[in-house]
Amino acid sequence: MAYKYYKLSCGKLAESASIVTGRSILGISAANPKSFIIKASSMPDFTEINLVFRKQIKLLNCDRIFAVKLLSEGQIGDQFSNDDIEKMPVYDKCYAEYFGQN
């Protein structure tokens, strides 16, 4: 199966005051983003990736994924060795394990 590569960026929940109402609003802080790369057959769903990769997100000391970016084969080849690429998590397999579809 041909996989595409996606960079998942995550951050911590943050609270700030609304400019309009002055009330507190909750959002994701991108001040100190962390990220990791996955392989997937298609663009992952935000809700699902936050569930499936919950352990990885917590290991990075983050609360949620806030961005998914498609990376080209060239970007992957330039930044990672073949061994590293082989070790990247495959979203389709992780999804099936998480949701019990083995």
Side-chain angles (χ1 to χ4, degrees):
M1 173 175 284
Y3 291 113
K4 295 178 181 175
Y5 301 92
Y6 296 92
K7 178 181 177 181
L8 306 181
S9 299
C10 52
K12 296 201 62 78
L13 289 174
E15 192 173 319
S16 65
S18 167
I19 296 170
V20 177
T21 64
R23 289 184 174 171
S24 291
I25 55 174
L26 192 62
I28 303 291
S29 171
N32 296 311
K34 307 271 176 62
S35 63
F36 58 100
I37 310 293
I38 63 165
K39 296 186 279 190
S41 58
S42 62
M43 178 70 130
D45 175 82
F46 266 93
T47 302
E48 293 169 353
I49 57 175
N50 275 293
L51 291 172
V52 172
F53 293 111
R54 186 178 339 182
K55 288 180 186 173
Q56 289 89 334
I57 294 167
K58 294 294 180 196
L59 285 173
L60 292 171
N61 196 26
C62 294
D63 297 316
R64 299 269 192 288
I65 292 172
F66 67 85
V68 177
K69 180 182 177 185
L70 176 64
L71 301 174
S72 69
E73 293 273 339
Q75 288 173 307
I76 292 295
D78 290 344
Q79 297 178 17
F80 300 97
S81 70
N82 287 339
D83 289 340
D84 290 338
I85 293 170
E86 287 298 317
K87 293 176 189 174
M88 288 178 183
V90 178
Y91 173 71
D92 307 62
K93 292 178 186 175
C94 296
Y95 177 93
E97 290 171 11
Y98 183 85
F99 290 104
Q101 298 177 357
N102 288 340

